[in-house]
Amino acid sequence: MSEKRKVLMICLGNICRSPIAEAVFADYISKNNLTDTWNVDSAALIGYHTGKSPDRRAMSTLRDKGITNYSHRARPITAGDFDKFDFIFGMDNNNIAELEGMQPDGSKAKIELLGSYDPNGETIIRDPYYDSDSAGFVKAYEQCVRSVEAFLQEHKN
Ligand code: 4NP
């Protein structure tokens, strides 16, 4: 069997948006018998939250949507990730600029906005970390669902 295709979800802290994106991707491939084909992880652009579980609002949003088996510890992206992963998805344009600046010459990863796949055209997954409630997390979840599904439909073969 050919090697799995690997996706890395990136945001600033790896405690809000990229864990939601990773959990949504993992849930989709599990439910669609694609775990032999795809692999997913997530990481941060900053090391500040290294080792922490996702924000409680991210976890409660996932639980409310029926994703109860997700766990993750934040980690920073490494130079090696740009060769290990086929796709590295950022959540906003700052993420993309940072990733493009870090990418080692000749490494294989394709860097894209996850929201570039959103059929509703909402390309930016906004940082909800400083919000006072969960609404931004729910919105990020819904954006991730639409984009992950569209990405995997587009890369079926
Ligand atoms: P995330 O949200 O990038 O979606 O995980 C953030 C988490 C932490 C910080 C910023 C954004 N922070 O500045 O600590």
Side-chain angles (χ1 to χ4, degrees):
M1 212 185 72
S2 59
E3 218 190 316
K4 289 186 192 186
R5 284 178 279 178
K6 297 187 178 68
V7 167
L8 184 64
M9 302 296 187
I10 291 291
C11 62
L12 189 58
N14 193 210
I15 55 169
C16 299
R17 294 165 292 174
S18 62
I20 292 173
E22 180 195 357
V24 164
F25 195 101
D27 185 60
Y28 187 96
I29 61 174
S30 167
K31 287 181 173 151
N32 290 276
N33 296 316
L34 293 170
T35 52
D36 289 340
T37 314
W38 292 95
N39 173 276
V40 65
D41 191 11
S42 67
L45 289 165
I46 56 173
Y48 186 69
H49 298 285
T50 298
K52 285 194 204 163
S53 290
D55 186 284
R56 66 182 69 246
R57 294 165 293 176
M59 293 303 283
S60 64
T61 298
L62 292 171
R63 268 197 307 277
D64 288 349
K65 300 293 183 181
I67 299 179
T68 56
N69 59 350
Y70 177 69
S71 67
H72 181 70
R73 298 284 174 174
R75 72 163 179 94
I77 191 171
T78 66
D81 287 330
F82 290 88
D83 262 321
K84 179 175 174 191
F85 290 91
D86 301 286
F87 294 91
I88 298 183
F89 287 122
M91 302 296 134
D92 59 35
N93 287 325
N94 287 336
N95 295 167
I96 298 298
E98 286 275 331
L99 288 166
E100 286 176 349
M102 289 175 74
Q103 180 159 37
D105 288 345
S107 56
K108 76 174 179 189
K110 188 169 182 191
I111 296 169
E112 295 184 298
L113 277 172
L114 179 60
S116 67
Y117 289 89
D118 184 352
N120 290 13
E122 286 198 74
T123 54
I124 303 303
I125 301 179
R126 200 193 123 257
D127 179 5
Y129 181 60
Y130 293 104
D131 293 1
S132 56
D133 61 19
S134 290
F137 289 79
V138 176
K139 182 173 168 75
Y141 169 87
E142 286 163 355
Q143 290 178 270
C144 288
V145 167
R146 293 195 302 267
S147 294
V148 162
E149 177 167 16
F151 169 78
L152 284 166
Q153 288 287 337
E154 190 176 316
H155 293 85
K156 262 186 171 168
N157 298 305

